[in-house]
Amino acid sequence: MFRFMSQDPSQTIARLVETLGSDSVISDEAGMANYLNEPRKRFHQKSPAIAVPKDVAAVQALARLANAEGIPLIPQGGNTGLVGAQVPLFGNEVIVSLARLDRIRDINAAAGHMTAEAGAILENVHKAAEAEGGMFPLWIASQGSARIGGLLSSNAGGVNVLAYGNARELCLGVEAVLADGRLFEGLSSLKKDNTGYDLKDLLVGAEGTLGIITAATLKLYPLPQAYETAIVSLESPEKALELFYAMRDRAGSRLNAFEIVPWLGLDFQLRHGMLDRDPTADKSPWYALIEVAQPKGAEGHLLQGGLEAAFEQTLITNAVVAESEAERTRMWAFREQMSECQSREGASIKHDVSVPIAAIPQLIRDGSQAVKRLVEGVRPMPFGHMGDGNIHFNFSQPVGADPKAFMAGADPIHDAIYETVLALGGSVSAEHGIGQLKTGLLRKVKDPVALEMMRAIKLALDPNGILNPGKVLD
Ligand SMILES: Cc1cc2nc3c(=O)[nH]c(=O)nc-3n(C[C@H](O)[C@H](O)[C@H](O)COP(=O)(O)OP(=O)(O)OC[C@H]3O[C@@H](n4cnc5c(N)ncnc54)[C@H](O)[C@@H]3O)c2cc1C
C-alpha cells in the first residue's frame, strides 16, 4: 500500500523549506527532540524534519507536496499519545505539528458550541469556554499539553465519559486537509444532519491516517454550580459495581465520574511521597472516587444521601466527602497520579481495555489470577473508569525484580489479559487507540470484514498511503 520515493532527508528538508518557508521547518536534532520523544519512551525513530505550518493553506500546500513526491506525514498535536501513533515508525516520516493553529475561532456558550483550531491546547479550550459561562467536558491528566486535533484523532476518553461521552460525542463538525491537499469543510453546529455518511466520525478516531484535522466545532455544556466529590472505601469490585448501579439510579446523568483504585495505588503514592495528605478514610482493599455535578438551581445533596444508603446496605465501609475545592483537588490528584506512581515503583506492564460494565469484577478476578500464575510476586494494579467499563489493567513488577527481565516477559501477560477481555466480549483498546503498538493485535482480533472496510476507506481517502503509514492498519 505504501509507495514512497526514496528521498534523501536533505532533499526532503529542501522541498519543505521551499513550500513552507524556513521558519516553518525544524531539522536540527535538539529542536526535533520534543516532537520525537513520546511519553512512554517506547518508540525511538528518527525523522527528516518537523513541519510547523502557520495556517490551513500551509497544511494544504504541505499535503499536496507530500502526495506528489511520496513524503509520508504524521500529524501531531501535543505528543501525549500512549500508543506511538504520533511518532515515526519507519524513520522517513515528516511530523506535521499543528501547534501554530491554536485559535478559538468562535464561541457561543449559550447555544452550546465553539470552534477551536486543531492546535488549541485542551486546558486553553476549557478556559475559553468557562470565560463565556460554558464547559467543554473532556478532562484528562494530559490536558495541559494535549491538543484538540490529537484528542479528536485518538477519540480521547478521560474521567467524564460517563456523563458526556468521549471526544467523538463532543464533536459536532471538523475541518480537515485530505491527503491530496483538498479541504473538507465539515465545520457545523448542527445537532441533526442526516445527509449521508458521517464523514466527521470517520476522521475522529482515525489517528491521523485519513486526514489532517485543522479545526473542529465542539459541544459546550452549562457549567455546573457545584460538585459533590467523595472517596469511599470498599471491600471488592463486586461491591463497587453494586454501588455504581445504585449511584447511577440515584443521580442519573448528573453522575460525572466513577473511578476505582486498589489499595496498592494508595500504598505506592504514600510510599513515594506523592500525597501531602491521605485523601481516604482508612486502609481498604478498594476505593472509588465518585463525583456528582450539581446544575444551577438544584438543591440537596445527592451524593451524601446516596452514600448514607450505601453504608446501610453494606456496599461501602467508609467515606470522605470533599468539603472544599482544595479537598476535591486532592482527591482527583490521587486518581490522576496513578500512572506516575507506578513508574516510580519500577517496571509496569499496561493494558487499556474495556468490557461490559457487569463483567468488570470477573475481568479483575480472572485477569489477576491468570497473570499471578505466570509471574510469581507480580502486583496487579487494575484501576480507572469503572463507570465506562474501562480498566487500565496494569501489572507492577515483583518487589526487587529486575525491571528489564520483567518487561522481557510481557508477551504472555498481554496474551492472558487480552484473552480474558475477549472472552468477556470486551475491547483490546478502550481509549488510547491502536497506533503502532497494537497493529498486530488488531489484525488478530478484529472482525475480518471490518478490517476490509477499514482498508477500503484508507485506500479511497489516501491512495498513496502518505498519511501516518503503518499506524492502525499495518
Ligand atoms: C499523563 C497522561 C494521561 C492521559 N490520560 C488519558 C485519558 O484519561 N484518556 C485518554 O483517552 N487518553 C489519555 N492520555 C493519552 C493522550 O493524552 C490522548 O490520547 C490525547 O488525545 C492525545 O492528544 P495529543 O494532542 O497529545 O495527540 P498526539 O499524541 O500528538 O497524537 C495522537 C494521535 O492523533 C493524531 N493527530 C494529532 N493531531 C492531529 C490532527 N490535527 N489531525 C489528524 N490527526 C492528528 C496523531 O497522528 C496520533 O495518531 C493520557 C496521556 C498522558 C501522557
Side-chain angles (χ1 to χ4, degrees):
M1 190 172 197
F2 310 116
R3 297 177 278 111
F4 299 123
M5 290 185 205
S6 58
Q7 198 157 26
D8 143 358
S10 57
Q11 226 179 312
T12 302
I13 295 166
R15 297 294 286 130
L16 292 173
V17 170
E18 267 169 42
T19 309
L20 300 176
S22 58
D23 59 347
S24 298
V25 182
I26 302 168
S27 56
D28 63 295
E29 216 171 288
M32 292 203 293
N34 277 345
Y35 301 87
L36 290 171
N37 299 332
E38 47 82 32
R40 292 221 166 131
K41 300 178 177 55
R42 273 186 86 126
F43 305 101
H44 306 276
Q45 234 331 341
K46 56 187 174 39
S47 165
I50 316 297
V52 196
K54 67 178 192 321
D55 55 22
V56 175
V59 180
Q60 290 184 268
L62 178 60
R64 278 194 295 271
L65 168 78
N67 201 39
E69 302 195 6
I71 301 169
L73 300 178
I74 303 178
Q76 192 183 86
N79 189 16
T80 67
L82 299 175
V83 289
Q86 75 281 11
V87 290
L89 171 61
F90 303 109
N92 61 347
E93 303 99 315
V94 169
I95 290 178
V96 185
S97 166
L98 278 295
R100 284 167 81 187
L101 278 72
D102 65 349
R103 284 186 310 128
I104 305 296
R105 290 193 192 161
D106 65 59
I107 177 160
N108 186 338
H113 55 82
M114 73 191 285
T115 300
E117 290 188 335
I121 290 177
L122 180 55
E123 213 161 67
N124 295 340
V125 169
H126 288 156
K127 285 183 194 151
E130 279 170 29
E132 298 292 320
M135 174 180 65
F136 181 57
L138 178 59
W139 305 96
I140 61 177
S142 54
Q143 62 202 30
S145 311
R147 297 174 188 269
I148 288 301
L151 291 153
L152 291 174
S153 300
S154 52
N155 188 23
V159 292
N160 278 178
V161 172
L162 188 53
Y164 301 99
N166 46 27
R168 175 173 280 123
E169 286 155 279
L170 296 173
C171 177
L172 291 164
V174 297
E175 173 192 273
V177 171
L178 301 184
D180 60 8
R182 281 178 300 160
L183 189 66
F184 165 58
E185 298 192 52
L187 293 176
S188 163
S189 60
L190 298 177
K191 283 205 168 157
K192 290 187 162 186
D193 178 11
N194 280 346
T195 52
Y197 305 146
D198 195 332
L199 301 171
K200 175 258 297 178
D201 271 355
L202 262 186
L203 290 156
V204 173
E207 301 187 41
T209 60
L210 299 179
I212 305 176
I213 294 175
T214 47
T217 316
L218 307 171
K219 272 189 208 167
L220 298 184
Y221 286 81
L223 261 176
Q225 81 179 355
Y227 292 99
E228 286 185 84
T229 310
I231 293 187
V232 302
S233 306
L234 299 143
E235 279 165 13
S236 64
E238 284 79 4
K239 295 272 184 186
L241 182 65
E242 275 188 69
L243 177 66
F244 168 67
Y245 289 155
M247 293 308 303
R248 199 194 41 192
D249 281 354
R250 197 175 180 95
S253 63
R254 288 165 60 182
L255 182 60
N256 248 18
F258 194 107
E259 304 279 312
I260 56 168
V261 175
W263 153 250
L264 198 59
L266 179 64
D267 181 45
F268 281 13
Q269 293 194 37
L270 290 173
R271 280 198 292 106
H272 291 285
M274 297 171 73
L275 294 166
D276 55 5
R277 198 176 340 139
D278 182 350
T280 66
D282 56 6
K283 183 173 174 179
S284 167
W286 287 89
Y287 301 102
L289 191 161
I290 310 170
E291 186 160 274
V292 172
Q294 193 133 12
K296 288 191 183 101
E299 287 183 8
H301 295 286
L302 257 184
L303 181 61
Q304 185 95 34
L307 295 181
E308 279 161 15
F311 195 72
E312 277 165 26
Q313 292 159 26
T314 68
L315 296 181
I316 61 175
T317 54
N318 222 328
V320 192
V321 178
E323 283 180 356
S324 64
E325 190 53 31
E327 277 183 31
R328 175 177 178 238
T329 305
R330 194 175 293 124
M331 287 182 178
W332 273 111
F334 165 53
R335 165 61 187 86
E336 281 168 359
Q337 289 170 177
M338 281 301 296
S339 297
E340 175 60 24
C341 74
Q342 290 165 78
S343 315
R344 294 194 192 183
E345 186 69 14
S348 170
I349 294 172
K350 299 173 193 280
H351 310 90
D352 162 43
V353 295
S354 65
V355 293
I357 291 172
I360 285 191
Q362 194 181 344
L363 168 71
I364 293 175
R365 195 176 50 245
D366 293 358
S368 300
Q369 279 168 5
V371 175
K372 279 179 177 172
R373 276 196 297 271
L374 292 171
V375 183
E376 206 186 318
V378 74
R379 292 173 292 169
M381 181 71 93
F383 72 98
H385 319 296
M386 176 159 195
D388 311 325
N390 174 196
I391 295 295
H392 298 306
F393 207 157
N394 298 350
F395 292 87
S396 283
Q397 63 170 76
V399 178
D402 171 29
K404 278 199 180 132
F406 178 63
M407 292 308 288
D411 282 349
I413 296 181
H414 293 321
D415 291 347
I417 290 302
Y418 294 137
E419 217 172 276
T420 310
V421 164
L422 293 170
L424 293 170
S427 165
V428 298
S429 181
E431 61 175 8
H432 296 159
I434 300 301
Q436 51 181 302
L437 183 68
K438 292 184 177 173
T439 45
L441 179 63
L442 188 76
R443 202 176 350 97
K444 265 202 264 171
V445 306
K446 189 97 177 164
D447 166 36
V449 177
L451 279 176
E452 277 170 27
M453 291 168 72
M454 286 166 68
R455 286 187 201 287
I457 291 165
K458 172 73 178 169
L459 197 62
L461 290 181
D462 181 17
N464 295 328
I466 62 148
L467 290 176
N468 217 355
K471 312 292 173 50
V472 184
L473 297 166
D474 58 2

